Amino acid sequence: MAKSSAKKKAEKLSFQAEVSRLLHIVAHSLYSEREIFLRELISNASDACDRLRYEALTKPKLTKGDPDLHINISVDKRSSSITIADNGIGMNRKELIENLGTIARSGTAAILDKIASDKTEKKNDKDGMSLIGQFGVGFYSAFMVAEEVTVVTKKAGAAGAFQWQSDGNGEFTLSEAERDSRGTSVTLRIKKDAKEFMEPDRLRHIVKTYSDHIPVPINLVEGETSSRVNDASALWTRTRSQIKGDQYKEFYHHVAHANDDPWATLHFRAEGVIEYSGLLFIPTARPFNIFHPDRKNQVKLYVKRVFITDNCEELLPSWLRFLRGVVDSEDLDLNVSREMLQNNPIVAKIRKGIVTRVLNELKKRATKEPDSYAGFWDAFGPLIKEGLYESFENRSDLLALFRCHSTHGEGLVSLADYIKRMKKGQDSIYYITGENIETLMKSPQIEGFQARDIEVLLLADPIDDFWVPSVGKFDETPFKSVTQGGADLSDIKSASSKKKKTPAKKDSPGTQEGMEQLIRALKEIYAESVSDVRTSERLTASAVCLVAEEGSLDMNLERLLQQHQQLDKKASRILELNPDHELIKALAKTAKKKNGNTQIADAALLLLDQAHIMEGESVTDPVAFARRMETFMKNGLQ
Ligand code: ADP
Ligand code: MG
């Protein structure tokens, strides 16, 4: 007796902190599209049916006696509640706590912080909601319309059922429950200001709008009668002419758990040696966790309309992980295990086919809709660059898709454009890498290029330091970093008439001699801290800059590797001087004097520190740097 009452007793549990924060945002946002709660709950019910269908392939007992999967929506006016019930896989106690008490997705805390900070900055609610939409509130969206949510569920093949209940305020209760058959019922006690959702016509309309593509029958149960609302055939099996644009969009929202519009929709059927169909989307907005280190692709694999897995690594290369949607194969065996999908020749063929289709679509859009393509590039360019690094067989196609900023002007340029604009005598594609475009535009190393009107590509993604050296060239033209080695600028005709001759040559022999003396003095002062000192043609405004030796690591790559503890020691650099700069001229004059070396030592060391600072690096000895700086300031002010 005592035992059975203990059994019924509800246990109180707290939500994970992130869930509480999320629920708070959901409940307190005046979200204009509250009706999406139904889409989310139907989506979960449909996923639960998909998962059961897959499990039943190997364990047919699971669906015995109740083989027809379905979702029922019913309204109870007396208790002001709506119930969404499915006969899918169900949940056991542990899953119930994990799935409806925590959020497993990585980056959750970060996105909640972002939403909170947008709020304090008084941005409108819509921004926060669109962020949260992208993130996907899923099950918790029920609290937009419900003051209390009750979930009763029984896992397929298990004996007991459980009840989960919460008003969305920090805690939920858990207890054992009665339920005859497998599956899950979610009952919402509807808030006073959400009574509109109790109307069957309204519900029918919402299901039609958002969930028509769901391949499981969705029935609206009114009293004794039940009527089917959706079409219930998998959207990708229908022909394109049967599908309206909005249906694609809703399907995208469902499979991608996304809230934006698809930027591209690829609906296709391949019929040949192997047969498969696909409905794939490229999102408009970059999904918030696309740079998660697991680099998993997100496309779902079906076999003959049965969901198999959303975790088939070999279905797509990692750099295509921005794709969302489904691929449905006719040739794979329905009983295929997830292990059997590895090194599977059918999967390999499908993968190849998808890559080709996506590349063709991108090529078409890049040519025909450059502005729209710029948006794609902004969101997913770094992934295409990963492809350049990893995928030898697609290299030339990917190079054609590549875009970047350059010194040519605003907007994105292609490599083909660059080649067309190359100057007479120019035989390399010049580029510079760094943290952002604005800083790169001010780099001393590109001054001489700009003076000669030679275009330099400005690359600001960390991966640029890897793919450019590994790809090496575009068609036959090599890439060359402007921060590395000799710049060979003398071979290229200068754009401005003033700069026709190289400065060193036009100078009088006296100045030339002074410069040589200065270089000797600097080498002595710098000793091991630089590998060479020389005059430069790449500078016009700045006095000095650092470059890497030809054939050594690019400077930005070196910094990157150091940040990630992949490299302990920096290679020493070459310091280049601008012989036309007043400061350098003055130093050269002093260097010629007696005791010249001692007189210029402090200035020389400051100059080297300054060159490091311009690279965004730290100075070797900050205290000594500050002392020297103080002395110079004091002298300057006297
Ligand atoms: P998502 O669907 O993106 O995983 P949700 O918040 O919508 O996130 O749901 C959380 C989890 O709860 C689901 O992944 C699933 O494991 C579980 N779940 C929700 N509803 C059901 C259901 N009707 N049947 C079985 N499991 C469910
Ligand atoms: Mg969901």
Side-chain angles (χ1 to χ4, degrees):
M1 184 66 200
K3 203 174 169 195
S4 88
S5 70
K7 242 182 157 183
K8 290 260 149 61
K9 212 172 139 204
E11 191 181 338
K12 251 197 181 111
L13 292 156
S14 298
F15 285 118
Q16 177 199 30
E18 279 89 345
V19 176
S20 288
R21 288 179 69 191
L22 181 66
L23 282 172
H24 187 83
I25 293 168
V26 168
H28 291 86
S29 295
L30 290 172
Y31 192 33
S32 55
E33 290 170 58
R34 293 200 290 180
E35 63 194 31
I36 60 120
F37 79 91
L38 193 58
R39 168 186 86 189
E40 294 301 324
L41 298 179
I42 290 174
S43 172
N44 286 349
S46 151
D47 287 349
C49 292
D50 265 355
R51 299 222 304 275
L52 176 65
R53 211 183 270 130
Y54 175 74
E55 292 284 318
L57 291 175
T58 44
K59 295 175 210 141
K61 263 203 337 225
L62 292 181
T63 47
K64 221 174 152 204
D66 184 14
D68 296 324
L69 302 176
H70 56 81
I71 300 167
N72 287 348
I73 304 172
S74 53
V75 178
D76 180 10
K77 288 233 155 94
R78 267 184 319 159
S79 61
S80 275
S81 64
I82 305 175
T83 299
I84 294 97
D86 64 69
N87 58 349
I89 187 103
M91 285 175 271
N92 59 29
R93 187 176 183 280
K94 185 164 168 272
E95 288 165 335
L96 201 48
I97 297 173
E98 267 169 23
N99 297 337
L100 306 186
T102 64
I103 309 178
R105 264 160 296 180
S106 55
T108 301
I111 204 119
L112 292 174
D113 287 347
K114 173 103 181 63
I115 292 165
S117 78
D118 279 4
K119 270 200 160 225
T120 45
E121 283 165 28
K122 294 252 174 339
K123 292 198 185 156
N124 61 25
D125 252 9
K126 244 187 140 195
D127 290 350
M129 274 332 279
S130 95
L131 252 181
I132 222 165
Q134 233 191 73
F135 170 73
V137 268
F139 171 79
Y140 303 108
S141 65
F143 289 97
M144 293 196 295
V145 297
E147 53 193 21
E148 184 185 70
V149 179
T150 308
V151 180
V152 176
T153 182
K154 185 175 186 177
K155 176 108 182 186
F162 295 92
Q163 174 179 300
W164 176 107
Q165 192 170 58
S166 178
D167 62 2
N169 286 320
E171 288 175 333
F172 60 92
T173 61
L174 210 62
S175 54
E176 291 184 6
E178 300 291 324
R179 190 184 159 97
D180 296 340
S181 52
R182 62 150 205 271
T184 304
S185 312
V186 180
T187 301
L188 316 180
R189 201 168 78 215
I190 297 296
K191 285 181 182 172
K192 281 206 179 60
D193 67 357
K195 291 273 152 63
E196 56 185 289
F197 298 111
M198 306 278 301
E199 291 305 321
D201 279 348
R202 180 74 197 273
L203 290 172
R204 195 175 286 114
H205 184 74
I206 301 173
V207 175
K208 260 308 209 197
T209 309
Y210 295 104
S211 311
D212 198 39
H213 58 80
I214 295 285
V216 184
I218 304 170
N219 307 309
L220 194 64
V221 185
E222 295 174 75
E224 299 294 300
T225 55
S226 152
S227 58
R228 164 89 76 84
V229 187
N230 66 333
D231 186 309
S233 67
L235 192 70
W236 62 91
T237 61
R238 303 183 210 168
T239 57
R240 265 181 296 195
S241 56
Q242 287 178 303
I243 304 172
K244 290 189 273 277
D246 274 356
Q247 288 179 303
Y248 278 130
K249 191 166 118 182
E250 288 315 327
F251 182 73
Y252 164 69
H253 289 167
H254 166 72
V255 288
H257 294 279
N259 215 21
D260 57 339
D261 286 358
W263 178 74
T265 302
L266 286 83
H267 185 186
F268 55 88
R269 167 175 289 280
E271 281 160 337
V273 191
I274 56 162
E275 219 177 291
Y276 60 92
S277 52
L279 179 46
L280 297 174
F281 302 93
I282 302 174
T284 302
R286 182 195 285 174
F288 73 99
N289 56 356
I290 196 103
F291 294 118
H292 190 274
D294 69 14
R295 302 173 77 228
K296 264 198 199 135
N297 85 65
Q298 304 282 333
V299 170
K300 297 184 184 203
L301 177 67
Y302 282 68
V303 173
K304 302 178 189 84
R305 259 71 56 214
V306 177
F307 170 74
I308 303 294
T309 177
D310 50 9
N311 201 5
C312 176
E313 272 180 40
E314 318 216 347
L315 188 59
L316 287 177
S318 294
W319 54 272
L320 277 182
R321 66 187 178 278
F322 55 81
L323 286 179
R324 298 291 185 266
V326 306
V327 170
D328 190 351
S329 159
E330 298 296 325
D331 305 291
L332 287 167
D333 194 76
L334 254 179
N335 288 312
V336 71
S337 70
R338 288 177 188 143
E339 293 71 43
M340 278 157 63
L341 289 170
Q342 283 166 12
N343 301 319
N344 185 305
I346 297 170
V347 174
K349 283 208 182 81
I350 296 178
R351 171 186 169 118
K352 207 159 175 233
I354 297 175
V355 171
T356 309
R357 271 174 209 277
V358 174
L359 289 176
N360 285 342
E361 171 75 13
L362 290 176
K363 223 184 284 176
K364 191 179 83 195
R365 300 283 292 269
T367 332
K368 293 202 175 142
E369 303 165 33
D371 290 344
S372 163
Y373 183 76
F376 164 81
W377 185 259
D378 196 37
F380 302 115
L383 278 82
I384 299 294
K385 292 172 180 181
E386 286 180 23
L388 276 166
Y389 184 70
E390 290 176 348
S391 166
F392 184 76
E393 70 266 33
N394 303 117
R395 200 164 263 182
S396 66
D397 286 324
L398 290 169
L399 279 171
L401 293 173
F402 171 78
R403 297 289 181 278
C404 69
H405 288 279
S406 85
T407 51
H408 182 69
E410 279 177 25
L412 297 173
V413 302
S414 70
L415 292 169
D417 293 341
Y418 184 98
I419 298 286
K420 276 191 222 137
R421 288 193 285 263
M422 276 169 56
K423 291 278 167 299
K424 224 172 157 201
Q426 179 183 354
D427 52 14
S428 306
I429 300 171
Y430 290 108
Y431 72 95
I432 182 166
T433 61
E435 260 170 42
N436 63 63
I437 306 293
E438 291 71 35
T439 331
L440 288 176
M441 271 306 271
K442 292 183 210 135
S443 302
Q445 288 95 343
I446 68 172
E447 287 169 6
F449 291 85
Q450 288 196 290
R452 287 167 177 79
D453 201 21
I454 300 168
E455 186 171 358
V456 178
L457 303 180
L458 309 169
L459 306 177
D461 284 321
I463 181 129
D464 291 319
D465 284 303
F466 299 92
W467 77 263
V468 183
S470 105
V471 170
K473 57 187 187 198
F474 170 64
D475 288 340
E476 289 310 312
T477 316
F479 289 103
K480 187 154 193 184
S481 165
V482 301
T483 65
Q484 199 175 26
D488 319 325
L489 282 175
S490 49
D491 293 344
I492 305 166
K493 244 181 96 196
S494 172
S496 63
S497 49
K498 281 205 309 277
K499 284 244 132 219
K500 268 214 173 91
K501 274 203 282 171
T502 48
K505 277 179 204 150
K506 84 173 173 220
D507 285 335
S508 63
T511 327
Q512 173 100 22
E513 198 187 303
M515 204 53 72
E516 279 165 16
Q517 193 126 15
L518 175 63
I519 289 175
R520 269 198 303 277
L522 290 178
K523 280 185 185 169
E524 208 169 288
I525 295 165
Y526 295 149
E528 302 288 291
S529 12
V530 297
S531 65
D532 198 8
V533 179
R534 65 189 184 203
T535 57
S536 170
E537 297 182 22
R538 69 184 103 211
L539 296 169
T540 59
S542 306
V544 291
C545 76
L546 288 167
V547 297
E549 275 181 73
E550 188 105 35
S552 69
L553 281 185
D554 179 81
M555 297 206 295
N556 192 52
L557 175 58
E558 198 181 273
R559 278 193 288 273
L560 218 83
L561 293 176
Q562 273 196 324
Q563 277 165 18
H564 292 86
Q565 275 85 43
Q566 302 278 328
L567 196 74
D568 333 318
K569 203 174 157 279
K570 270 202 187 94
S572 59
R573 307 279 171 70
I574 299 166
L575 184 78
E576 291 196 344
L577 310 177
N578 177 356
D580 281 348
H581 198 281
E582 291 307 323
L583 179 58
I584 301 297
K585 282 186 187 162
L587 281 172
K589 230 165 138 188
T590 319
K592 271 201 298 194
K593 292 186 188 153
K594 214 171 133 223
N595 280 336
N597 278 22
T598 351
Q599 284 189 44
I600 65 162
D602 273 350
L605 290 169
L606 273 178
L607 211 53
L608 180 59
D609 279 339
Q610 182 202 326
H612 280 294
I613 291 171
M614 283 198 286
E615 288 304 314
E617 299 173 357
S618 51
V619 299
T620 19
D621 183 348
V623 177
F625 169 76
R627 292 245 167 83
R628 281 185 203 112
M629 198 68 182
E630 274 166 21
T631 317
F632 268 85
M633 285 196 278
K634 205 172 68 204
N635 293 343
L637 290 169
Q638 265 165 9

